[in-house]
């Protein structure tokens, strides 16, 4: 089959689909093994120390059956898997609701947060990187570089706490957490309220992401600025802006895009911590409670969804290469 | 030229920051403007994952509390005796197997439909089928004889059921759908669930048609937060009541008082009463754990430990004063036996040991027939209070010649090890069944067994009224000749009660006299309808 210059891409997409299916199966098996060998006994976690002592053997047995403690792991996995391929992700043991509806609610919250952070960090990181690279070793470069190194070595939750202390406790400008105003009926919540609640968590997440992209873009920018063709352009009297636009941008875009899409996984990981600090009701928090509470169906659901998300990010990055740099599209990069 | 650009950049950054600044948070968020609403920060664990559905375990579990949205047949009063809510009276048949509840006829659900005995039967018959924290295994079935009479049939006599009936909220049969009820509960309680932002907050509004005392607080907002966030929220003035821990009280918050509430949140040590090499009774799947300890199986050791620990010092040093001494698993509850008390007397501890033939060795540790008075002590290492208690116990037993090796671990590990090794246990509940879980043969972490104690516990459960059961629960602890007191069998050594502490706005009048159960949670709002602003 030959469909012109795009046959490479199509083949690549086809291969990717096979890859993601096998990846998802592997992820679900691995997560399931982890849940099964985890020392956390879901029944014990569910009823607690005092509850455990007080409970009758009958009720305990009922709960053990509910959490599937005595069902062989392979049988449990097989039940989950056969349902899953028919589109049924099962029922969350803790929430007592279909996993899809639990994930749907949490996913929407997380997506807003992560997308905002992702766009901000990509955009700002890129700009900072270019500026720093362009004015190498000048004071602005030193400021940006220093800032990036500082940020890169900062734990996410610590930064989150510092921001809460500054903006919510001292200045009392922004809410302490949650995604909705406290004690306000849903009908009275404005879009501005939602934005206000998004600022701090999104800022924390993006600030962390910026450093990585800035530093890489800066390096690449410096490399390019040292190329002969830049020197030649300068010799021809071209302005800085047009040099960047015509010669540098495409070259620095490639690594930036790779990083940006690869950073989806980092933002996802960071969101787990940020959601804890800001009491933000996202997927990260749900994953933590599912893991600690032995809620296998929910944990598997979240694992599969997040694996698909990260894989999707990398796939898009690869596809974008071809669009930005025709050499890759024509060449054998997709083979 | 270049400098101008840099200047411009600086200006843009400043501008952006100003913009952020303009989004000044609205102070009315905190709900302090209105005088009949309150905002409470609870720990994130308190949010009921499965919703506000009593059939799925809402209000049950180890942190039992008033379901607020639903009514219950009975209630636990401030002193943990039993009072009435929906029930006007109840009678227990002489064999203890049939309970007859007469219920009020003037109660309506918030959708206007009257609550009848049919709803009671529906609730319990359904809750029985579910695997939840509500233990209803003693029930056989419930039937509604007429609109105001519900008859409960039991598998086994169980007078402590009154405490279960104080927790299980009654749901409307006509408006119950398992899939949605937890999110949109219809009840007949003091409050209506107005809104639930999952993972974040719950907004409750007073039920205007409530049959009982009219709530003064018309709106109660509860936010679910981590300990850090709760503290920050109080600092930022965004909540009126914030749960906290002793370590945070070092830095008081302006405008807030620190209130400490009495609890049934007890810490104590189980001292395995049989020698090593035993096994726990097999679980359903045949699993057993090693049980017994060669050192603590000596009665003298257990009695010595009970009087060698300075409980006051633990309260002062480990709990920063936010606690009190405890000698039983039921501090101040109607079934607590005074005989459980023991004086702090290290000299007596040594006398007891020496009378039993223990002799100090060169290292200053007691020995008897080659056996050293030395044992491991488990504690949950992620819990600072339990860590502190374990260390204090080690230090206090050293001078009386007993060597303790504290061993931090996780609850999951400890749950399998604690039958053979003492552990810094948490205990305490709004039900006398705690006595059974700590001392009844085959049920307890100390592998303790005494037929006399078992008999009293059986009799207490077979009592034909809750009030009649209290003296029997007391006798199970000490009947004048035998029991589990420190002077008698001493299978558990109880140490301290831990107060639950909250930051509370200075001008908020919080009424909460009811003893809190083990663990923070919804108990704080049991009486929220009586709270008021000064």
């Amino acid at each position: 089959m030959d469909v012109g210059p795009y046959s490479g891409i199509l083949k690549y997409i086809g291969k990717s689909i096979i890859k993601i299916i096998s990846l998802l199966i592997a992820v679900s098996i691995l997560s399931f093994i982890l849940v099964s060998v985890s020392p956390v006994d879901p029944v014990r976690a569910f009823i607690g120390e005092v509850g455990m002592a007080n409970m009758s053997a009958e009720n305990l047995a009922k709960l053990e059956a509910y959490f599937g403690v005595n069902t062989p792991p392979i049988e449990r996995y097989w039940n989950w898997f056969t349902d899953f391929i028919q589109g049924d992700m099962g029922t969350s043991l803790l929430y007592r609701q279909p996993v899809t509806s639990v994930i749907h609610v949490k996913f929407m919250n997380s997506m807003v947060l992560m997308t905002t952070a992702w766009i901000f960090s990509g955009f700002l990181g890129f700009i900072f990187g270019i500026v720093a690279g362009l004015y190498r070793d000048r004071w602005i470069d030193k400021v940006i570089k220093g800032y990036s190194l500082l940020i890169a070595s900062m734990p996410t939750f610590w930064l989150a706490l510092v921001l809460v202390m500054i903006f919510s406790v001292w200045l009392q400008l922004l809410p302490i957490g949650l995604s909705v105003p406290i004690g306000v009926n849903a009908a009275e919540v404005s879009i501005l309220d939602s934005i206000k609640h998004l600022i701090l968590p999104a800022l924390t997440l993006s600030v962390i992401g910026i450093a990585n992209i800035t530093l890489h873009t800066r390096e690449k920018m410096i490399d390019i600025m040292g190329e002969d063709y830049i020197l030649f352009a300068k010799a021809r009297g071209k302005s800085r802006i047009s040099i960047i636009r015509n010669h540098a941008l495409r070259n620095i875009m490639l690594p930036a895009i790779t990083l940006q899409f690869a950073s989806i996984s980092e933002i996802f990981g960071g969101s787990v911590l940020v959601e804890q600090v800001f009491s933000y009701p996202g997927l990260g928090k749900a994953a933590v409670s599912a893991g600690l509470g032995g809620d296998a169906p929910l944990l598997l659901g979240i694992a599969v969804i997040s694996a698909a998300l990260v894989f999707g990010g990398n796939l898009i990055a690869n596809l974008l290469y071809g669009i930005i740099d025709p050499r890759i599209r024509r060449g054998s990069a997709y083979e | 030229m270049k400098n101008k650009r840099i200047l411009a950049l600086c200006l843009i950054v400043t501008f952006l920051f100003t913009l952020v600044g303009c989004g000044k948070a609205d102070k009315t968020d905190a709900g302090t403007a209105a005088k009949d609403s309150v905002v409470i920060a609870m720990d994130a664990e308190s949010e009921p994952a499965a919703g506000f559905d009593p059939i799925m375990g809402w209000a049950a579990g180890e942190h039992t509390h008033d379901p607020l949205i639903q009514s219950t047949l009975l209630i636990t009063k401030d002193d943990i005796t039993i009072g009435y809510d929906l029930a006007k009276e109840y009678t227990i048949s002489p064999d203890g197997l049939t309970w007859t509840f007469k219920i009020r006829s003037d109660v309506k659900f918030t959708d206007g439909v009257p609550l009848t005995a049919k709803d009671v039967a529906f609730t319990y018959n359904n809750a029985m089928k579910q695997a939840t924290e509500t233990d209803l295994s003693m029930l056989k079935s419930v039937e509604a004889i007429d609109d105001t009479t519900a008859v409960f049939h039991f598998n086994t006599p169980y007078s402590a059921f009154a405490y279960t009936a104080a927790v299980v909220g009654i749901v409307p049969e006509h408006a119950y759908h398992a899939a949605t009820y937890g999110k949109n509960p219809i009840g007949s309680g003091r409050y209506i669930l107005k809104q639930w932002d999952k993972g974040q907050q719950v907004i409750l509004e007073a039920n205007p048609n409530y049959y009982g005392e009219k709530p003064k607080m018309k709106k109660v907002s509860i936010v679910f937060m981590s300990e850090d966030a709760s503290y920050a929220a109080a600092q930022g003035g965004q909540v009126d009541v914030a749960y906290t821990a002793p370590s945070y009280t070092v830095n008081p918050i302006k405008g807030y008082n620190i209130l400490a509430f009495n609890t049934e949140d007890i810490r104590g040590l189980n001292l395995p009463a049989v020698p090593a090499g035993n096994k726990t009774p097999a679980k359903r799947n045949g699993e057993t754990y090693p049980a017994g300890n060669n050192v603590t199986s000596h009665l003298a050791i257990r009695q010595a430990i009970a009087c060698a620990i300075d409980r006051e010092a633990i309260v002062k040093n480990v709990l920063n004063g936010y606690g009190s001494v405890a000698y039983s698993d039921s501090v101040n509850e109607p079934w607590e036996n005074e005989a459980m008390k023991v004086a702090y007397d290290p000299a007596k501890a040594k006398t007891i040991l020496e009378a039993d033939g223990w002799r100090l060795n060169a290292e200053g540790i007691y020995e008897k027939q080659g056996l050293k008075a030395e044992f491991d002590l488990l504690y949950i290492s992620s819990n600072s209070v339990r860590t502190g208690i374990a260390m204090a116990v080690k230090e206090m037993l050293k001078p009386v010649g007993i060597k303790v090796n504290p061993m931090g671990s996780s609850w999951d590990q400890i749950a399998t090890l604690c039958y053979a090794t003492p552990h810094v246990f948490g205990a305490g509940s709004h039900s006398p069944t705690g006595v059974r879980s700590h001392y009844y043969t085959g049920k307890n972490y100390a592998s303790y067994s005494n037929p006399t104690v078992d008999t009293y516990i059986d009799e207490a459960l077979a009592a034909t009224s809750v009030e009649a059961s209290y003296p029997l629960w007391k006798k199970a602890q000490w009947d004048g000749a035998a029991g589990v007191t420190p002077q008698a069998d001493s299978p558990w050594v109880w140490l301290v009660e831990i107060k639950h502490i909250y930051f509370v706005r200075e001008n908020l009048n919080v009424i909460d006299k009811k003893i809190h159960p083990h663990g923070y949670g919804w108990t704080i709002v049991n009486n929220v309808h009586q709270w008021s602003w000064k």
Side-chain angles (χ1 to χ4, degrees):
Chain A
M1 185 179 71
D2 186 26
V3 272
Y6 293 101
S7 69
I9 292 191
L10 290 179
K11 251 193 234 164
Y12 177 73
I13 293 178
K15 263 191 207 165
S16 298
I17 291 173
I18 297 172
K19 258 193 220 162
I20 190 164
I21 291 174
S22 47
L23 174 81
L24 291 186
I25 293 177
V27 164
S28 70
I29 291 180
L30 201 65
S31 323
F32 190 83
I33 291 175
L34 286 176
V35 181
S36 307
V37 301
S38 134
V40 174
D41 177 334
V43 178
R44 245 179 248 147
F46 181 66
I47 54 179
E49 191 180 19
V50 176
M52 193 83 184
N54 272 323
M55 195 147 286
S56 69
E58 291 83 5
N59 208 47
L60 213 53
K62 208 156 67 170
L63 279 166
E64 281 176 354
Y66 176 75
F67 280 94
V69 174
N70 297 329
T71 316
I74 293 176
E75 193 183 321
R76 282 169 67 201
Y77 180 76
W78 185 247
N79 289 342
W80 178 85
F81 184 74
T82 45
D83 285 347
F84 182 75
I85 50 173
Q86 292 165 40
D88 178 6
M89 292 173 88
T91 304
S92 157
L93 299 174
L94 295 176
Y95 293 84
R96 296 180 191 249
Q97 277 173 30
V99 167
T100 34
S101 72
V102 176
I103 290 185
H104 178 78
V105 175
K106 312 271 176 193
F107 190 71
M108 282 312 170
N109 287 326
S110 280
M111 267 330 260
V112 176
L113 176 63
M114 289 196 286
T115 314
T116 321
W118 186 69
I119 291 173
F120 263 101
S121 63
F123 185 71
L124 290 179
F126 192 58
I127 304 274
F128 283 172
I130 292 178
V131 172
L134 206 54
Y135 297 100
R136 186 186 179 186
D137 292 335
R138 306 268 188 81
W139 68 268
I140 187 147
D141 175 39
K142 284 180 184 148
V143 169
I144 292 177
K145 209 169 74 179
Y147 164 82
S148 301
L149 291 173
L150 185 73
I151 290 293
S153 48
M154 232 181 237
T156 317
F157 75 93
W158 183 82
L159 180 70
L161 284 174
V162 169
L163 289 177
V164 167
M165 285 320 276
I166 295 174
F167 289 100
S168 308
V169 174
W170 293 344
L171 301 176
Q172 306 209 348
L173 291 176
L174 292 167
I176 220 98
L178 316 181
S179 74
V180 290
I182 295 171
V184 177
N185 294 345
E188 296 158 24
V189 176
S190 68
I191 193 98
L192 190 71
D193 286 325
S194 309
I195 292 173
K196 258 192 245 166
H197 283 81
L198 194 63
I199 293 176
L200 282 189
L203 191 67
T204 313
L205 266 187
S206 42
V207 157
I208 299 290
I210 285 173
N212 200 5
I213 292 175
T214 304
L215 290 176
H216 279 89
T217 309
R218 177 182 174 274
E219 261 333 286
K220 191 71 190 170
M221 190 72 194
I222 288 170
D223 282 354
I224 289 164
M225 291 310 282
E227 293 283 345
D228 288 345
Y229 56 82
I230 299 284
L231 188 66
F232 181 59
K234 277 184 186 165
R236 281 190 295 150
K238 288 197 134 194
S239 71
R240 248 188 233 276
I241 296 289
S242 82
I243 288 175
I244 295 175
R245 201 171 45 219
N246 298 331
H247 302 286
L249 217 51
R250 278 200 174 187
N251 285 312
I252 52 171
M253 281 277 258
L254 280 187
I257 285 176
T258 319
L259 277 171
Q260 176 67 354
F261 281 90
S263 76
I264 289 181
S265 59
E266 274 171 46
I267 290 211
F268 196 85
S271 76
V272 175
L273 296 169
V274 170
E275 284 168 13
Q276 292 288 343
V277 175
F278 290 104
S279 320
Y280 203 89
L283 218 44
K285 258 178 97 177
V288 171
S289 60
L292 293 179
D295 190 344
L298 183 57
L299 194 68
L300 256 59
I302 294 175
V304 166
I305 295 277
S306 33
L309 200 72
V310 173
F311 186 89
N314 291 339
L315 179 68
I316 293 172
N318 286 344
L319 291 176
L320 281 179
Y321 283 175
I323 294 168
I324 289 166
D325 191 342
R327 283 174 302 183
I328 293 178
R329 185 167 58 219
R330 273 185 236 108
S332 55
Y334 289 133
E335 299 302 319
Chain B
M1 177 69 184
K2 230 179 283 159
N3 285 339
K4 262 188 199 162
R5 251 184 234 144
I6 291 164
L7 188 70
L9 197 77
C10 290
L11 281 177
I12 290 172
V13 171
T14 326
F15 176 67
L16 282 176
F17 268 93
T18 330
L19 261 189
V20 172
C22 285
K24 207 168 165 60
D26 201 352
K27 286 280 168 53
T28 54
D29 268 17
T32 48
K35 279 292 169 205
D36 56 359
S37 70
V38 65
V39 180
I40 300 158
M42 270 187 203
D43 77 305
E45 300 291 308
S46 299
E47 183 177 27
F52 300 83
D53 182 351
I55 289 178
M56 297 299 184
W58 161 234
E62 59 175 6
H63 310 167
T64 51
H65 57 90
D66 189 304
L68 292 178
I69 300 163
Q70 294 89 5
S71 309
T72 48
L73 288 171
L74 303 171
I75 52 162
T76 44
K77 295 199 271 194
D78 288 345
D79 61 355
I80 319 300
T81 53
I82 287 292
Y84 297 102
D85 185 9
L86 286 174
K88 285 197 292 190
E89 57 171 69
Y90 70 95
T91 50
I92 306 177
S93 67
D95 62 0
L97 293 177
T98 312
W99 291 40
T100 308
F101 284 91
K102 282 277 178 200
I103 65 165
R104 310 168 58 128
S105 54
D106 59 342
V107 177
K108 283 183 177 161
F109 287 108
T110 49
D111 61 358
V113 179
L115 185 154
T116 70
K118 281 206 191 72
D119 299 303
V120 175
F122 173 81
T123 303
Y124 278 92
N125 285 327
N126 273 286
M128 245 185 281
K129 289 183 211 140
Q130 301 297 333
T132 71
E133 293 156 289
T134 316
D135 190 350
L136 294 172
S137 55
M138 72 298 281
L139 270 186
K140 199 188 280 169
S141 67
V142 183
E143 54 176 333
I145 303 290
D146 56 45
D147 277 358
T148 57
T149 315
V151 176
F152 286 62
H153 301 284
F154 283 70
N155 293 318
T156 165
Y158 200 82
S159 67
F161 176 74
Y163 288 90
T164 310
V167 170
V168 178
I170 303 302
V171 304
E173 182 173 11
H174 67 274
Y176 183 82
H177 305 283
T180 55
Y181 185 84
K183 281 182 284 184
N184 299 306
I186 291 174
S188 54
R190 297 191 280 277
Y191 287 94
I192 297 170
L193 180 69
K194 187 74 190 170
Q195 186 177 321
W196 179 21
D197 299 309
K198 284 190 188 154
Q200 313 190 66
Q201 68 168 341
V202 166
I203 301 178
L204 301 172
E205 277 184 11
N207 174 3
N209 301 319
Y210 184 58
Y211 52 90
E213 188 187 334
K214 294 272 179 277
K216 280 191 212 160
M217 277 296 169
K218 297 288 184 235
K219 185 173 173 186
V220 179
S221 308
I222 290 154
V223 287
F224 303 106
M225 293 180 152
S226 67
E227 223 167 61
D228 291 333
S230 171
Y231 182 68
Q235 279 186 312
Q238 301 191 5
V239 296
D240 303 316
V241 177
Y243 84 99
T244 193
S247 53
Y248 290 86
T249 58
V250 182
N251 303 310
I253 302 174
K254 205 169 158 265
Y256 287 80
N257 291 327
I258 297 165
L259 295 192
F261 298 101
N262 292 334
T263 74
E264 213 49 70
D265 202 350
I266 320 275
R267 297 290 174 275
L269 314 177
N270 63 317
L271 301 175
V274 293
N278 282 284
K279 286 209 172 308
T280 56
K283 294 207 298 183
R284 285 276 162 104
N285 57 3
E287 206 177 353
T288 63
Y289 305 120
N293 185 302
N294 286 335
V295 176
T296 60
S297 58
H298 285 87
L299 179 62
I301 292 277
R302 300 202 300 272
Q303 289 177 337
I305 293 173
C307 55
I309 294 175
D310 184 356
R311 293 164 175 81
E312 298 277 2
I314 297 182
V315 170
K316 197 163 146 255
N317 302 327
V318 180
L319 304 178
N320 298 352
Y322 292 107
S324 65
V325 297
Y327 299 100
S328 77
D329 58 1
S330 36
V331 177
N332 292 327
E333 287 182 315
W335 52 88
E336 186 188 25
N337 194 325
E338 283 292 306
M340 293 296 286
K341 285 212 170 113
V342 60
Y344 166 55
D345 190 351
K348 191 179 167 201
K350 289 184 136 184
T351 319
I352 294 172
L353 287 172
E354 274 163 22
D356 189 48
W358 295 79
R359 295 289 170 262
L360 278 177
N361 68 10
E363 301 158 53
I365 299 168
Y366 275 106
E367 255 185 59
K368 184 183 176 183
Q369 292 154 5
L371 178 71
K372 271 198 220 170
E374 176 180 2
F375 60 88
D376 293 339
L377 176 60
L378 296 162
Y379 63 93
I380 296 175
S381 50
S382 59
N383 185 309
S384 59
V385 168
R386 295 195 196 206
T387 309
I389 292 176
M391 298 306 157
V393 166
K394 173 194 157 119
E395 290 308 316
M396 287 164 183
L397 292 186
K398 204 198 289 172
V400 297
I402 299 175
K403 191 168 179 221
V404 175
N405 308 311
M407 213 164 75
S409 187
S410 70
W411 167 233
D412 277 292
Q413 289 279 313
I414 291 170
T416 63
L417 301 174
C418 63
Y419 296 95
T421 308
H423 167 52
V424 182
F425 263 101
S429 65
H430 280 177
S431 165
T433 50
V435 174
R436 185 166 78 142
S437 68
H438 294 127
Y439 305 116
Y440 199 78
T441 302
K443 261 202 75 82
N444 65 77
Y445 291 113
S447 298
Y448 172 69
S449 175
N450 182 338
T452 315
V453 172
D454 288 352
T455 310
Y456 285 123
I457 292 173
D458 288 335
E459 283 176 15
L461 285 174
T464 51
S465 83
V466 185
E467 292 72 27
S469 76
Y470 297 152
L472 293 161
W473 289 115
K474 283 188 184 178
K475 280 190 177 170
Q477 293 161 70
W478 179 247
D479 66 353
V484 297
T485 55
Q487 291 78 17
D489 294 341
S490 192
W492 287 79
V493 169
W494 300 103
L495 302 172
V496 288
E497 168 251 5
I498 298 175
K499 303 253 184 265
H500 288 169
I501 46 182
Y502 289 82
F503 284 105
V504 176
R505 243 187 242 280
E506 277 169 356
N507 53 343
L508 179 66
N509 194 9
V510 168
I511 309 230
D512 190 9
K513 296 195 212 94
K514 189 159 163 176
I515 305 169
H516 288 204
H518 174 83
Y520 280 67
W522 288 79
T523 331
I524 182 76
V525 293
N526 266 333
N527 289 49
V528 71
H529 62 289
Q530 296 175 337
W531 296 8
S532 59
W533 290 94
K534 287 176 218 165

